[in-house]
Amino acid sequence: MISKQATRPLRVLQLTDPHLMASAEGALLGVNTRDSLDAVIKEVLKSHGQPDLILATGDLAQDGSDEAYRVLGDRLGAFSGDCAWIAGNHDHVERLASAAQTYGAARRHIVQGGWQFILLDSSVPGKVFGELAKSELDFLAEMLEQHPDLPALVTLHHHPVDIGADWMTDIGLRNRADFWQVIDRFPQVKIVLWGHIHQTHEQQRKGVQLLATPSTCIQFTSGSRKFSVEDLAPGYRWFELQASGNFTTEVCRALDFEFDIDQNSSGY
């Protein structure tokens, strides 16, 4: 009797909040954001190898510049897998979209490895908080309706739940009730994933795993009442997804990266 070889899980990398700038010397609270992204990419390749899919979940540029998006696209050339980019509150949506087209990272619905990935734009021009337009909510529902049998990962930039940090309460997703009304209709949703909060966050809601991930640059202090950063290394999230809907995930950090963060800042 010949046994079938087990199918390899789909390997997915989330990188978020790199805050790249036009200048190679561009730094956020004293941390050079290009250098920190380079350190994270190096750590991914050392610890996990090549991903099949890379999700870049917003605040890709601090200054919204064409050069920042070019740098991102070039840096992500270290990976052979497909990429998909979404906007955060610091991004320039049109410039990001143009660069994403250039680098083949503009897809917002991906079916791969027995999963579907739905990428939503929660950015609001000129605002720090997020909101999903009706068109985004309709897109989410339409994609989930089309693939009822595929486990789904839904990603956006802004947090759709409270995370226990008072200063971030008003800068998450504003219309989260509308978002959850859609998600709750579709039991195939396994993961909701976001960036924005520059820290690890994990919780469960109605059988859905809710996950946030450290920034590739500075880290916000978990549970802080006021704006605060902590001396944690930049990081990323890695998934291994089975077509059955089962998955594993872990957060890793570039512990070899040396930096001196300004912990006295009141904002960024």
Side-chain angles (χ1 to χ4, degrees), residues 43-185:
E43 183 63 32
V44 172
L45 294 172
K46 181 180 78 172
S47 295
H48 285 105
Q50 287 287 348
D52 301 304
L53 177 65
I54 302 98
L55 304 175
T57 55
D59 281 357
L60 309 183
Q62 171 73 3
D63 57 8
S65 64
D66 290 326
E67 178 65 10
Y69 297 122
R70 186 196 65 76
V71 168
L72 177 68
D74 289 350
R75 293 298 202 273
L76 295 183
F79 301 121
S80 57
D82 293 333
C83 291
W85 304 357
I86 55 175
N89 50 289
H90 283 276
D91 288 302
H92 188 286
V93 174
E94 289 78 16
R95 290 174 187 154
L96 185 155
S98 176
Q101 286 285 353
T102 299
Y103 287 95
R107 287 187 299 163
R108 300 190 47 224
H109 181 250
I110 299 165
V111 174
Q112 189 173 348
W115 280 67
Q116 67 168 322
F117 302 85
I118 302 169
L119 294 94
L120 301 175
D121 181 3
S122 60
S123 66
V124 179
K127 303 295 183 182
V128 180
F129 66 79
E131 191 166 358
L132 291 169
K134 183 178 183 299
S135 57
E136 291 295 300
L137 295 168
D138 290 347
F139 169 69
L140 172 62
E142 181 183 358
M143 294 301 100
L144 290 169
E145 286 166 355
Q146 286 184 8
H147 300 279
D149 299 325
L150 289 181
L153 182 155
V154 177
T155 187
L156 67 167
H157 180 67
H158 292 83
H159 48 294
V161 292
D162 289 331
I163 61 162
D166 289 354
W167 73 274
M168 295 186 113
T169 298
D170 294 329
I171 63 169
L173 186 69
R174 284 284 177 94
N175 59 335
R176 58 186 63 176
D178 296 332
F179 172 71
W180 291 117
Q181 280 183 358
V182 177
I183 295 294
D184 289 347
R185 289 166 46 199

Side-chain angles (χ1 to χ4, degrees), residues 8-21:
R8 179 178 66 76
L10 185 73
R11 298 171 297 201
V12 178
L13 167 66
Q14 182 199 11
L15 298 174
T16 196
D17 299 84
H19 290 269
L20 296 169
M21 306 178 203

